[in-house]
Amino acid sequence: VQLQASGGGFVQFGGSLRLSCKVSGFSLDNYAIGWFRQGPRKGREGVSCIQKSGDTTYLTDSVKGRFIISRDNAKNTVYLQMNSLKPEDTAVYHCSRGCPDESSWFGYDYFGQGTQVTVSS
């Protein structure tokens, strides 16, 4: 089982990034996939999750209305579109097999190495 996050980078306040989570070793169709982040200001927190059905959840109030999670099972990939980025979004973003809870410590069995997102003010 592998989950490889990519798409991070350096962006200015108000900018956008799209993160990708490419999975392998299992069938994406059968699993919910989530994102959590670990940053210097807020520590670790759950961000979002997408169910097998396509239903979505945003775990952190600060990302609601700005982030959009989606999936493409044919490409074995889950995306996190991040808009109107703020400095407090600066973190390493990880994708997980299963939905993380708000603390990000529970709800999944595998997660990937993560991709760094840095937002300047």
Side-chain angles (χ1 to χ4, degrees):
V1 173
Q2 290 190 334
L3 299 99
Q4 181 63 53
S6 63
F10 184 91
V11 64
Q12 291 187 334
F13 177 87
S16 297
L17 285 172
R18 188 177 79 158
L19 305 184
S20 298
C21 175
K22 178 80 169 179
V23 310
S24 59
F26 65 98
S27 177
L28 181 59
D29 311 54
N30 295 329
Y31 289 90
I33 300 293
W35 290 92
F36 65 90
R37 64 187 181 185
Q38 183 155 16
R41 298 188 184 190
K42 296 184 179 180
R44 187 162 157 166
E45 59 182 352
V47 174
S48 184
C49 183
I50 185 163
Q51 301 290 341
K52 294 184 290 183
S53 63
D55 289 344
T56 61
T57 305
Y58 298 93
L59 300 163
T60 301
D61 286 344
S62 66
V63 308
K64 292 177 181 178
R66 298 190 297 124
F67 289 12
I68 302 170
I69 190 171
S70 61
R71 63 194 293 154
D72 186 339
N73 291 340
K75 295 184 178 179
N76 292 321
T77 303
V78 172
Y79 304 98
L80 186 67
Q81 177 68 42
M82 306 188 298
N83 302 318
S84 302
L85 283 162
K86 305 174 182 180
E88 51 262 46
D89 295 318
T90 294
V92 177
Y93 284 73
H94 300 266
C95 54
S96 62
R97 192 176 78 168
C99 291
D101 66 349
E102 290 181 2
S103 76
S104 85
W105 289 103
F106 302 102
Y108 53 91
D109 54 2
Y110 291 92
F111 67 96
Q113 194 165 5
T115 185
Q116 175 71 48
V117 172
T118 303
V119 185
S120 67
S121 57

